[in-house]
Structure formats: structure tokens, C-alpha cells
Amino acid sequence: MTEDPSLAKPAALRFTGVRGVIARRMAESLATTAQLSFFADADASAMTSARAAWKAAGVKVGYEDLVIHALARILPRFPLFNALEVEGEVVPQAEIHVGVAIALPGALAVPCVFDCAGKDLPTIAAERASLVARAPRNKLTVREMSGATISISNLGLTRVRHFTPILNRPQTAIIGLGTIGRDGSMGISLTVDHRAIDGAPAGEFLTALCDALEAPQPLPQATGVGPGRAPP
């Protein structure tokens, strides 16, 4: 009689190797920071329309790319959200390097798109796509894996609306992207280190991010990209 494989005892999850490193960093993050999360909903109409326009122009743009582009526009007004804790001090960073959480089998990688403030949307999209493609092949560089100044985590392909992403230390803020509901709005989550960032500025930052995402988004005509033309 052949044993039904579905009845086999599942293997134990061991906190060793990459999984062990992730477990240790998550525990250290929660143990050494005062993490506080905030939630909002952003009308996704402008983002959805922009993605469709870019697709028609032959350029694949994701919601994460639009969020990265929006962060690059608003972070100069909120320096403590683009900051790193260094030897007991929270140091705002001049450059904006956005880390992107990428789920891998049994692991998680958070490489970053560098210098986002100086890049247009197609460039951001291409560089993030490169990170996503190289992550499963273990082709990410040490600099890509350690250079982020703020991070985003995307659960938009699930039914999760809001969640509490854990800070990627030594960063002070992380954005969580949830699903787009039937009302056309996207759930946006924000976790901050409450030792450095209070509730009022966190609310202002999350409001500014939602406002930026709801505003008209960059379109192909505005950057010279069109059907049959390569992105810059």
C-alpha cells in the first residue's frame, strides 16, 4: 500500500543558516527599538492608470515602483524617516536608497534601489526588476543588501489590507503595501521607531505619501517614452 504523501509529517523549521539570520535580526529589531505602526488607505486610481499607460508604452511598472518614486519626492521633507541609527544617534541620510523586501523560498532579501531621488520611473522600475530577478539566483551584492535607508514590503498580491512590517535596522521607517480593495483604495502601513519619530510626524508623513500616490503619476509622454521606444 502506497503511503499518501499528503499525510507525511511536515519537516521541522530550524532556525539555522539564512533562516536563523532572519530570525535573529527580527528579534533584535523588536528588542532594541520602540516600534509603532500606523495605517491609511490611498486611492489607487492614479497609480492604476499610470501602470496601464506605461504598459501600453511597452514599459512594465509596478505599484512598488510608483511608491519608490513617491518616496523620493517626499522624503526630503521628512529627514528622520530616511535615517540610520549610528552609535546611538539617528543620522538623516542625504541619499535616498529604498530597500525592497523580496520573498524567497524559506528566506527574505531586502536589496535596495540606489539614489532614487535622481531617477525617473522607468529607471526605478528596471533596477527593481533586476533585483527581483537576481535575488533567487543569489546574485545580489553586499552593497545592495546593506545600503537601504528606508524599506518597503509588499503584500498587495494577497488579501492583506494592513500589517505591521518590522523595521530593517538600523533604519527608522518601513512602508507596508496592502491589497487594493473593491473600493479602489490601497492599504498603506507605516512602522517607525518611536524613540526617534512621534505620532504626529508619522501621521503627517503617511498623509503626504498617500497624497503623492493619489496625485497624477508620471506618464510616458512626460518622459519621452512611447511605443517602440526604449526607456532611458
Side-chain angles (χ1 to χ4, degrees):
M1 181 176 179
T2 304
E3 183 179 352
D4 185 349
S6 65
L7 300 179
K9 182 179 179 181
L13 174 64
R14 297 182 180 275
F15 292 142
T16 58
V18 175
R19 192 74 246 175
V21 173
I22 294 172
R24 183 174 69 253
R25 288 178 177 174
M26 295 290 184
E28 288 176 350
S29 179
L30 288 173
T32 58
T33 58
Q35 302 197 21
L36 180 60
S37 296
F38 303 82
F39 311 105
D41 295 297
D43 186 337
S45 301
M47 290 186 284
T48 302
S49 297
R51 290 186 71 223
W54 283 107
K55 182 178 180 180
V59 181
K60 185 177 181 180
V61 169
Y63 289 106
E64 287 166 294
D65 304 317
L66 291 163
V67 172
I68 292 172
H69 193 262
L71 285 172
R73 299 198 303 274
I74 70 168
L75 277 170
R77 292 154 45 198
F78 299 91
L80 286 179
F81 292 77
N82 188 60
L84 302 176
E85 183 180 355
V86 181
E87 297 181 352
E89 295 183 341
V90 175
V91 183
Q93 302 296 296
E95 297 81 18
I96 298 173
H97 308 319
V98 181
V100 182
I102 301 173
L104 302 172
L108 179 70
V110 192
C112 70
V113 179
F114 290 105
D115 300 315
C116 296
K119 292 175 178 174
D120 61 17
L121 185 57
T123 301
I124 289 172
E127 294 189 4
R128 186 184 65 83
S130 174
L131 297 175
V132 173
R134 289 185 285 117
R137 307 198 307 269
N138 197 29
K139 296 296 184 181
L140 299 171
T141 68
V142 173
R143 181 170 179 261
E144 287 171 333
M145 289 294 293
S146 59
T149 56
I150 187 173
S151 295
I152 62 175
S153 179
N154 183 14
L155 291 179
L157 295 180
T158 72
R159 296 188 68 169
V160 173
R161 182 77 163 185
H162 301 102
F163 59 107
T164 55
I166 295 176
L167 288 174
N168 188 13
R169 294 186 65 243
Q171 300 164 32
T172 60
I174 182 170
I175 308 298
L177 307 181
T179 189
I180 296 176
R182 294 180 180 178
D183 62 351
S185 64
M186 172 189 285
I188 308 288
S189 305
L190 166 69
T191 296
V192 301
D193 188 344
H194 199 8
R195 297 177 305 157
I197 298 172
D198 294 329
E204 293 171 1
F205 173 83
L206 191 52
T207 297
L209 177 58
C210 290
D211 288 345
L213 296 175
E214 292 173 345
Q217 299 296 305
L219 297 175
Q221 295 86 344
T223 57
V225 175
R229 300 181 64 181

